[in-house]
Amino acid sequence: MSQLPDLVIAHGTVVNSFGRQDAHVVVDGGRVTQLIDAAEPVPAAHRIIDASGLLVIPGGIDGHCHVAQVTGRFRTLDDYAVTSKAALWGGTTTIIDFGIPRDAQETPLDAVLNKKRLAAESRCDVALHGSVIKWDETVPWQLEQLAAEGVRSVKMYTTNRGSTMADGDTILKVMREMVRLDGLTYIHAEHDAIITDCTEQHASDGRIGIEHLHRTRPELAEEISVKETLALADYTGAPVYFVHQSTPGAVDLVTEARERGQEAYSETCPHYLTLDDTVYGSRFPEWYACCPPMRSAETVAALKDRLAAGAIHTVSSDHSCYDLSQKRERTDDVRFMPHGLPGVETRMPVTFTALVSDGGGSVEHFVEVFSAAPARINAVPRKGAIVEGFDADLVVFDPAIQRSVDGGALHMGTDFSPFEGKTLNGWPAVVISAGQVVLDGDGFHDPGPVGRFVAREGFTEHRDALSDSLPLSQPA
């Protein structure tokens, strides 16, 4: 007598970035083992979930999370247990965090190893990015060790002098090493000299409170930094990924580079697609302290157009979990506020609402930016698609579920959401992580610290291997 599979998701419409089919999804041993045409009988299993009338999509990959982040004297209030649970509540089954050195004494390698140790408490799978702030003769060896650990990307900041900023020489040298190691360079692109000067001018004029944040970090600073970084990437031949792009001009620079043959990618975040700079004149402007800041309504509309056109490759949360008491300590001076927004739990409905419900895009395109492209670009193996042999990270997704955001009722370890009061469409009905049901109609089922550390593959190695099994084109 054959052994029954663990789970069957029956009668759902399976939506991948490259197409859809009505199918029964068979899950066993944490993997998708079979897709059976929905016209066929439902196979026996230990558990059957009826997904009639619903969509079944790959679990989300959030390529940009900051867990237990320290910024100056502020530390986010979360840990891996909290953030991973919130991710699962929001249909994200893999998060990618950053190992960023906290000070000059912590090396890039130590920063990653410390984060990897903390990640043992995660409820969902975790991968990591490294980070380099200052070049020295040990960096090539450290990057080799990171690659051996499965950490195949390095983030660098072009701003934040005196803390996380890497100078141009460091960026260029790290890019060369990442080419050698078949890795990916992540860049936070804001031109430090422009931001520093603009901020100092606002401070001297007494206009440095949170209500002026959007004026201290102009769009030009982002776009000039993207342009300069693309030149370094072109010179070194390095694949480059720009985090949290907030302007259409920055996205267009990446598009033009790609047309010239560069491997360059644009990420944006849900808040840049849905919130504009009028929030800084609202009753609670501290809810929106992040860098880059929110932009004008015209810029937001143009950014959404770029997303709809397929020029933006991924939508990540840039999750940073401070609370309002921390935000309110220095609302008088943005230079001393903790910047960053909680968002890992709301990434799914905000993105779906912006792209599909309001924007008229396809669910396939939503799957692309929510799951498939983050997995592909970050070389995360066996994720981002529902195909035989891939991890059983699945969401039974109901685009008709509509909820109003209540920040206090979310699960991110903070007391607010920048989307407070907004009505959003498309929430998960069932979430399955590594073959285990963690969210269903009965609520959340904490699986305990079962999240795995995911060793990522080389950038070109993964792309070439994936091209043999999956379509790579992004849907229109």
Side-chain angles (χ1 to χ4, degrees):
M1 182 176 179
S2 61
Q3 184 177 352
L4 293 178
D6 297 329
L7 175 69
V8 169
I9 304 171
H11 298 296
T13 298
V14 175
V15 183
N16 281 302
S17 64
F18 48 82
R20 62 177 65 194
Q21 66 183 111
D22 294 333
H24 311 308
V25 183
V26 183
V27 171
D28 196 49
R31 299 281 180 90
V32 175
T33 58
Q34 201 174 6
L35 272 71
I36 300 172
D37 189 282
E40 298 295 325
V42 178
H46 288 291
R47 179 172 180 180
I48 296 174
I49 294 174
D50 184 5
S52 299
L54 301 175
L55 308 178
V56 185
I57 67 172
I61 315 289
D62 194 337
H64 188 164
C65 288
H66 297 278
V67 184
Q69 173 179 263
V70 176
T71 303
R73 63 186 181 84
F74 295 101
R75 183 197 182 280
T76 57
L77 300 179
D78 61 341
D79 56 24
Y80 278 99
V82 169
T83 297
S84 60
K85 290 176 190 176
L88 292 169
W89 272 99
T92 288
T93 51
T94 303
I95 59 175
I96 311 182
D97 187 20
F98 297 85
I100 301 173
R102 297 185 181 187
D103 51 41
Q105 283 68 50
E106 187 173 42
T107 68
L109 179 58
D110 286 342
V112 165
L113 294 178
N114 286 336
K115 277 297 185 78
K116 185 177 179 181
R117 174 179 54 80
L118 295 173
E121 293 299 314
S122 182
R123 272 60 176 169
C124 69
D125 288 353
V126 176
L128 288 169
H129 307 287
S131 181
V132 175
I133 297 171
K134 184 176 178 58
W135 181 268
D136 63 46
E137 68 277 4
T138 71
V139 168
W141 175 84
Q142 291 190 66
L143 296 178
E144 289 174 4
Q145 301 308 302
L146 290 178
E149 291 279 342
V151 178
R152 306 299 289 262
S153 54
V154 168
K155 182 180 183 181
M156 289 175 287
Y157 294 77
T158 65
T159 190
N160 302 337
R161 68 176 69 176
S163 57
T164 58
M165 178 179 168
D167 61 27
D169 289 341
T170 296
I171 292 172
L172 188 150
K173 290 175 180 177
V174 169
M175 281 183 169
R176 279 188 171 149
E177 291 301 310
M178 297 313 288
V179 171
R180 179 175 69 87
L181 297 169
D182 195 18
L184 178 64
T185 300
Y186 262 55
I187 295 290
H188 173 132
E190 290 183 286
H191 195 281
D192 189 73
I194 293 174
I195 288 172
T196 298
D197 183 73
C198 189
T199 301
E200 288 176 351
Q201 287 191 42
H202 277 78
S204 66
D205 293 340
R207 296 179 296 125
I208 200 62
I210 180 59
E211 66 273 19
H212 301 290
L213 174 63
H214 55 302
R215 300 184 182 96
T216 66
R217 306 180 88 94
E219 293 185 20
L220 176 65
E222 183 173 343
E223 292 166 13
I224 290 297
S225 184
V226 170
K227 189 171 185 177
E228 289 183 353
T229 304
L230 282 168
L232 293 176
D234 189 24
Y235 176 67
T236 59
V240 62
Y241 178 109
F242 291 94
V243 299
H244 53 47
Q245 293 198 306
S246 67
T247 79
V251 174
D252 290 346
L253 287 166
V254 173
T255 299
E256 292 161 7
R258 291 179 62 82
E259 290 171 349
R260 296 192 300 268
Q262 283 188 249
E263 289 277 9
Y265 300 92
S266 291
E267 169 199 280
T268 196
C269 303
H271 41 282
Y272 298 124
L273 296 168
T274 54
L275 303 173
D276 64 53
D277 60 11
T278 60
V279 298
Y280 298 114
S282 69
R283 182 182 176 189
F284 301 113
E286 66 274 14
W287 289 12
Y288 311 101
C290 61
C291 299
M294 310 310 169
R295 304 300 189 184
S296 70
E298 294 77 14
T299 293
V300 172
L303 193 70
K304 288 180 69 174
D305 288 343
R306 301 307 192 275
L307 177 66
I312 295 172
H313 302 95
T314 68
V315 180
S316 302
S317 67
D318 192 7
H319 175 79
S320 297
C321 195
Y322 301 102
D323 74 354
L324 290 176
S325 66
Q326 293 171 307
K327 294 281 189 182
R328 288 170 175 159
E329 282 193 32
R330 291 304 307 268
T331 56
D332 63 311
D333 195 327
V334 297
R335 294 172 296 181
F336 303 108
M337 285 186 72
H339 293 274
L341 305 177
V344 70
E345 186 173 353
T346 50
R347 184 175 68 108
M348 170 179 273
V350 180
T351 305
F352 184 83
T353 300
L355 178 59
V356 182
S357 299
D358 294 346
S362 68
V363 180
E364 287 85 349
H365 193 177
F366 165 70
V367 170
E368 170 74 5
V369 300
F370 180 70
S371 183
R376 185 173 65 246
I377 295 167
N378 287 291
V380 183
R382 299 184 309 278
K383 295 186 186 293
I386 303 175
V387 297
E388 292 181 9
F390 272 45
D391 289 351
D393 296 336
L394 309 165
V395 178
V396 179
F397 179 67
D398 188 349
I401 295 179
Q402 190 175 80
R403 295 177 188 161
S404 179
V405 176
D406 175 358
L410 295 173
H411 309 87
M412 292 181 284
T414 186
D415 54 358
F416 79 104
S417 167
F419 308 108
E420 186 76 33
K422 290 190 175 295
T423 300
L424 301 175
N425 301 318
W427 296 76
V430 178
V431 177
I432 297 155
S433 179
Q436 185 170 350
V437 177
V438 295
L439 179 70
D440 60 15
D442 295 326
F444 187 76
H445 310 285
D446 186 351
V450 298
R452 300 164 296 186
F453 175 76
V454 180
R456 291 154 56 205
E457 298 172 341
F459 176 80
T460 57
E461 171 196 14
H462 181 80
R463 181 190 60 194
D464 294 346
L466 204 62
S467 66
D468 294 334
S469 57
L470 294 177
L472 293 182
S473 58
Q474 180 171 314

